């Protein structure tokens, strides 16, 4: 059984202890490192090059989540970061994901939901909270952004895109559309190229500007 190494960054000891207990529910053996602030988190990340994942609180005493993402992105670009927050703020969600976070989770969620997101991210995917596109408070695109010429996607690529908007992983997309994993990967790559972006999350954030909405085909 593979050993996972996860760094939990939160200034509340009880939250860190609670997350430590939840992380025991993963299917793999887990070693949990703890940091009460970003300074210590960066030290631990430098000392442990084999980190698999970071759970990062958005509100920390020495740095906010967006600034911390910048540092992790420069120093450890391949390390997936899941942002934690005590509030549901779609604008912050959008900013965090656009900065390169692999997911955003609220602390009010259920343990099983957190574990499902962790497994998704550890498998190499990104998690887009459903609140991002369902909450009416999410800022609408500027008029200057609206009306952009949509990328030329094939009908199959549009199906894949709708499933990406629904937060589906590549494995889910392959199963739902009965495609090979390689074919799904090729479609996702074509979608990224069409939107002129580099990551799945950037494509998900850009899609509404071109009129694409969250409407996945039936499984």
């Amino acid at each position: 059984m593979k050993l996972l190494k996860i760094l939990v960054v939160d200034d509340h000891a009880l939250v860190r202890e609670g997350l430590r207990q939840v992380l025991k529910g993963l299917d793999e053996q887990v070693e949990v490192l703890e940091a009460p602030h970003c300074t210590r988190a960066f030290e631990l990340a430098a000392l442990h090059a084999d980190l698999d994942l970071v759970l990062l609180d958005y509100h920390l005493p020495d740095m906010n989540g967006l600034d911390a993402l910048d540092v992790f992105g420069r120093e450890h670009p391949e390390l997936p970061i899941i942002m934690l927050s005590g509030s549901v703020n779609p604008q912050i969600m959008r900013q965090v994901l656009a900065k390169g976070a692999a997911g955003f989770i609220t602390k009010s969620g259920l343990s099983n939901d957190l574990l499902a997101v962790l497994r998704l991210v550890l498998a190499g995917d990104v998690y887009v909270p459903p609140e991002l596109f369902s909450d009416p408070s999410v800022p609408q695109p500027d008029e200057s952004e609206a009306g952009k010429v949509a990328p030329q996607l094939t009908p199959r690529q549009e199906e894949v895109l709708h499933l990406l908007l629904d937060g589906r992983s590549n494995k889910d997309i392959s199963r739902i559309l009965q495609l090979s994993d390689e074919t799904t990967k090729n479609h996702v790559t074509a979608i990224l190229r069409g939107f002129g972006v580099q990551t799945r999350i950037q494509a998900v954030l850009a899609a509404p500007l071109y009129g694409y909405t969250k409407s996945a085909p039936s499984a």
Side-chain angles (χ1 to χ4, degrees), residues 1-8 16 19-34 51-55 115 118-119 122:
M1 183 176 291
K2 182 182 182 298
L3 174 66
L4 294 175
K5 187 175 288 189
I6 298 176
L7 172 59
V8 175
R16 297 197 304 272
L19 287 171
R20 176 185 288 274
Q21 296 300 319
V22 172
L23 292 173
K24 291 180 179 179
L26 286 171
D27 299 331
E28 312 286 350
Q29 292 182 336
V30 182
E31 177 182 352
V32 180
L33 305 176
E34 298 182 21
L51 272 178
D52 293 290
L53 182 71
V54 176
L55 291 174
L115 292 175
L118 292 176
R119 294 187 184 103
L122 287 167

Side-chain angles (χ1 to χ4, degrees), residues 97-185:
L97 294 172
K99 279 277 189 178
F104 185 103
I105 302 174
T106 60
K107 294 180 180 179
S108 60
L110 300 175
S111 296
N112 285 340
D113 293 337
L114 171 60
L115 292 175
V117 172
L118 292 176
R119 294 187 184 103
L120 180 74
V121 171
L122 287 167
D125 288 297
V126 295
Y127 171 71
V128 183
E131 297 91 346
L132 189 61
F133 296 111
S134 62
D135 195 301
S137 67
V138 174
Q140 296 302 309
D142 295 336
E143 289 185 8
S144 60
E145 295 289 338
K148 284 186 174 182
V149 177
Q152 297 300 308
L153 302 181
T154 66
R156 179 62 90 187
Q157 289 166 359
E158 289 188 348
E159 289 182 306
V160 172
L161 176 58
H162 286 310
L163 288 167
L164 288 177
L165 288 169
D166 199 38
R168 300 282 190 167
S169 68
N170 279 14
K171 284 187 177 293
D172 288 338
I173 294 172
S174 297
R175 174 180 57 80
I176 292 169
L177 299 181
Q178 298 184 331
L179 302 172
S180 70
D181 291 343
E182 186 65 25
T183 298
T184 296
K185 182 179 179 180

Side-chain angles (χ1 to χ4, degrees), residues 17-102:
E17 178 60 28
L19 287 171
R20 176 185 288 274
Q21 296 300 319
V22 172
L23 292 173
K24 291 180 179 179
L26 286 171
D27 299 331
E28 312 286 350
Q29 292 182 336
V30 182
E31 177 182 352
V32 180
L33 305 176
E34 298 182 21
H37 45 65
C38 288
T39 301
R40 181 56 178 160
F42 301 147
E43 291 174 351
L44 288 172
L47 290 171
H48 298 269
D50 56 344
L51 272 178
D52 293 290
L53 182 71
V54 176
L55 291 174
L56 177 67
D57 186 26
Y58 182 83
H59 297 286
L60 290 164
D62 57 343
M63 187 178 294
N64 70 34
L66 292 177
D67 292 336
L69 280 173
D70 282 336
V71 176
F72 275 118
R74 289 195 305 269
E75 302 295 331
H76 311 279
E78 300 302 319
L79 182 60
I81 312 291
I82 295 179
M83 190 68 70
L84 300 172
S85 177
S87 62
V88 179
N89 186 320
Q91 184 174 1
I92 291 178
M93 287 181 185
R94 183 178 289 271
Q95 292 173 336
V96 164
L97 294 172
K99 279 277 189 178

